[in-house]
Amino acid sequence: MTNSYASLDDAGVAIAAAQAGAHVVRTMYGRNLTRIHKGAGDFATAADVEAEKAILGVIRAARPEDAVLGEESGEQGAAGAARRWLVDPLCGTLNYAVGNMLVAVNVALYDGAAAVADPFSGEVFFTDGETAWMRHGGADVRLSPTPATQLVDVNLDPPFPNAPGFRAVDLLAHPGFIERFRPRVVSTTLALAWVAAGKRAAYVTDGGDFRGSVHFAAGIALCRAAGCVVTGIDGAPLGQAGRGLVVAADAETHELLMSMIRNRS
């Protein structure tokens, strides 16, 4: 049997894998799914597990020598592999479990191509590492970030490792934020793809070093390729110094948010 995935470039593999996961997520939506508890209030469902299996099937067929880090299955492949895929099969599990369709399927090659699929809109946001696009209905449209919506998505889910120095909830009460922006809380990294696509002006979350995160890697790659400003909550490049995440459609929006974060009062 011909391996149809082997001929794809890395962006094509990311798209095909994300679409495979999205198909599972869409098909299993609305079922009474048993929760697989992970501790600290976190859990997965059978949809998370089955979507990850579908994604890994595509990656293994296309790039059998690559390593993979999956949210549900952990590390797979050779420890010394030069290339590593990061897979979050269902970002927004709690949304999904209660019948909310705001979820994403994230697939990223570390420091390379990436794709974020919205299982219910049919949109796939993707990058080859250089440019960023949205595929829908067989057509590809170049992503063009803009702050025009004035909508800023703020992640309020724990943990909050940088508190009390930084609390995302404080940003919502800042007079400058209230005057300039409108907050949104969708509780899925689909919001990162929306910044790249111009559907959000910015995204803010607490956290650690997200460079190798299965949850954030695909969205960060999209935003960078689309031309967004991407830093930690301290304004530093992502990494050990730049913890958490502030992604803005343009430099002005980013600077406004950073000034509010620095001067919370």
Side-chain angles (χ1 to χ4, degrees):
M1 181 179 294
T2 301
N3 180 355
S4 60
Y5 297 122
S7 62
L8 296 174
D9 60 14
D10 288 337
V13 173
I15 293 166
Q19 288 178 323
H23 175 74
V24 173
V25 170
R26 189 167 53 251
T27 300
M28 298 185 73
Y29 179 74
R31 298 183 189 179
N32 185 15
L33 301 173
T34 300
R35 297 188 179 190
I36 305 163
H37 292 278
K38 302 178 180 180
D42 191 18
F43 66 92
T45 69
D48 298 70
V49 174
E50 293 305 314
E52 184 160 308
K53 287 179 182 177
I55 293 167
L56 296 184
V58 173
I59 295 174
R60 288 194 189 107
R63 303 290 189 269
E65 302 302 317
D66 291 356
V68 180
L69 173 60
E71 182 181 10
E72 309 308 331
S73 57
E75 296 273 5
Q76 297 187 39
R83 292 158 44 97
R84 186 172 184 240
W85 293 85
L86 304 165
V87 174
D88 181 359
L90 178 49
C91 186
T93 298
L94 180 54
N95 286 349
Y96 186 81
V98 299
N100 186 321
M101 293 182 178
L102 289 174
V103 300
V105 177
N106 298 317
V107 178
L109 177 63
Y110 187 79
D111 278 343
V116 176
D118 180 338
F120 299 103
S121 73
E123 296 172 327
V124 182
F125 307 88
F126 67 95
T127 176
D128 58 3
E130 300 293 335
T131 58
W133 303 77
M134 186 270 287
R135 179 170 296 176
H136 187 248
D140 292 347
V141 178
R142 185 82 172 260
L143 295 186
S144 181
T146 171
T149 66
Q150 297 184 312
L151 301 178
V152 175
D153 220 289
V154 181
N155 180 23
L156 300 180
D157 291 334
F160 310 117
N162 294 293
F166 170 78
R167 295 183 188 275
V169 67
D170 292 340
L171 185 62
L172 305 183
H174 192 290
F177 187 94
I178 295 168
E179 179 181 347
R180 180 64 183 264
F181 301 112
R182 291 293 178 268
R184 291 294 183 271
V185 181
V186 300
S187 297
T188 168
T189 55
L190 181 61
L192 271 174
W194 287 350
V195 178
K199 298 182 180 184
R200 291 288 190 270
Y203 176 88
V204 181
T205 183
D206 196 356
D209 181 354
F210 287 144
R211 289 174 300 175
S213 167
V214 296
H215 306 291
F216 291 94
I220 289 170
L222 276 173
C223 289
R224 281 177 165 160
C228 301
V229 181
V230 181
T231 72
I233 55 174
D234 56 359
L238 298 189
Q240 293 182 349
R243 298 175 64 81
L245 189 61
V246 177
V247 176
D250 65 347
E252 180 183 0
T253 301
H254 182 267
E255 183 52 39
L256 279 170
L257 290 170
M258 290 308 307
S259 68
M260 296 173 198
I261 290 170
R262 295 185 188 110
N263 302 289
R264 291 181 296 143
S265 60

